[in-house]
Amino acid sequence: MEHAFLRIGWYTQGTDCLGPDSRFAIWVQGCRKRCKGCIAQSLQSFDGGQAISVAELAEEILKSGTDGLTISGGEPFLQADAIAILLEKVKSARHELGVIIYSGMKYEELLEDSSAQKVLDYTDLLIDGEYIQELDDNRAMRGSSNQRMIFLSSRYTAEDMPEKRKNKLIFYDDKFRMIGIPTEETKRAMSLLRKQRED
Ligand code: SF4
């Protein structure tokens, strides 16, 4: 247990783009779905990213002093055992830490899996379902309107959530990363940047 590892794409701390208040955000690596228009294609491969010790990541989260933790991806529930250990560690040290998890799987499917259930026990808000490009209606917190916000505790309510999509592009070397759910304008900017990189 102490030597559990999680394969992640990256993480950041102190963002306000993926839920209320200041949040630590983790993008896990690996997803089997191939949603049309996925904005996280670099996180689909199971070979990419880096394996990070769960104990080390928990320490980073606790040190950050952020109010909440958002886990996205990739598909978090494909690494449910490691995430359950991570959440057990951070929630036992800071019970008030609000946990939001995005999954391409549906809540009903997750309930059938014992490892996923352990993660759900520590989750305050689950946003479930795959991304359907045709149903992207620009609403806050969700990529498309089929995705549900399922409040699993009293930590958050719908009123706590931002009214509009928030996102941010971070540039490093000759690459960029996006935090949040992109608006149409951000998607256009990302596609332009990708095109410029290919030229
Ligand atoms: S579930 Fe999410 S990460 Fe996976 S392909 Fe769909 S949009 Fe991309």
Side-chain angles (χ1 to χ4, degrees):
M1 297 272 264
E2 275 309 305
H3 303 295
F5 282 84
L6 186 65
R7 181 158 284 275
I8 66 166
W10 64 297
Y11 67 81
T12 191
Q13 45 188 291
T15 182
D16 63 351
C17 294
L18 281 165
D21 311 317
S22 161
R23 314 191 68 79
F24 197 101
I26 302 168
W27 288 264
V28 303
Q29 185 74 37
C31 179
R32 291 199 194 102
K33 296 201 186 274
R34 292 292 180 266
C35 307
K36 188 174 84 170
C38 167
I39 48 125
Q41 285 179 26
S42 62
L43 295 166
Q44 289 176 355
S45 150
F46 289 89
D47 301 324
Q50 54 166 321
I52 184 164
S53 136
V54 165
E56 190 186 315
L57 194 53
E59 208 179 304
E60 285 296 310
I61 295 166
L62 294 173
K63 252 186 359 202
S64 74
T66 46
D67 306 294
L69 166 66
T70 298
I71 304 178
S72 182
E75 174 50 63
F77 286 91
L78 291 177
Q79 300 186 70
D81 288 330
I83 290 181
I85 297 169
L86 176 74
L87 294 180
E88 197 269 330
K89 281 180 185 298
V90 295
K91 280 280 212 179
S92 59
R94 283 194 54 212
H95 181 67
E96 75 288 0
L97 191 80
V99 174
I100 299 177
I101 302 193
Y102 283 85
S103 173
M105 296 165 78
K106 284 198 172 156
Y107 181 48
E108 291 77 7
E109 284 174 73
L110 298 173
L111 286 176
E112 287 172 15
D113 181 279
S114 57
S115 297
Q117 277 189 30
K118 284 187 216 149
V119 173
L120 294 174
D121 286 345
Y122 294 109
T123 305
D124 298 295
L125 168 60
L126 171 76
I127 296 164
D128 81 336
E130 58 191 55
Y131 172 65
I132 301 178
Q133 195 171 35
E134 292 74 16
L135 298 180
D136 187 339
D137 58 1
N138 217 29
R139 266 196 287 177
M141 293 298 290
R142 281 171 280 185
S144 50
S145 62
N146 59 300
Q147 296 174 333
R148 299 172 293 181
M149 287 204 284
I150 301 174
F151 295 92
L152 299 173
S153 77
S154 56
R155 176 70 173 80
Y156 295 125
T157 65
E159 284 70 44
D160 295 320
M161 298 301 130
E163 284 176 13
K164 289 187 177 163
R165 286 188 183 183
K166 278 189 187 177
N167 48 69
K168 195 184 219 177
L169 292 176
I170 298 178
F171 294 87
Y172 65 103
D173 302 330
D174 61 339
K175 302 186 188 114
F176 66 90
R177 284 173 172 154
M178 205 265 315
I179 307 176
I181 313 283
T183 56
E184 287 307 314
E185 196 182 17
T186 307
K187 277 188 236 167
R188 277 196 295 277
M190 284 163 68
S191 121
L192 254 175
L193 285 164
R194 286 200 182 104
K195 205 163 170 297
Q196 277 172 4
R197 241 178 40 191
E198 286 161 13
D199 289 344

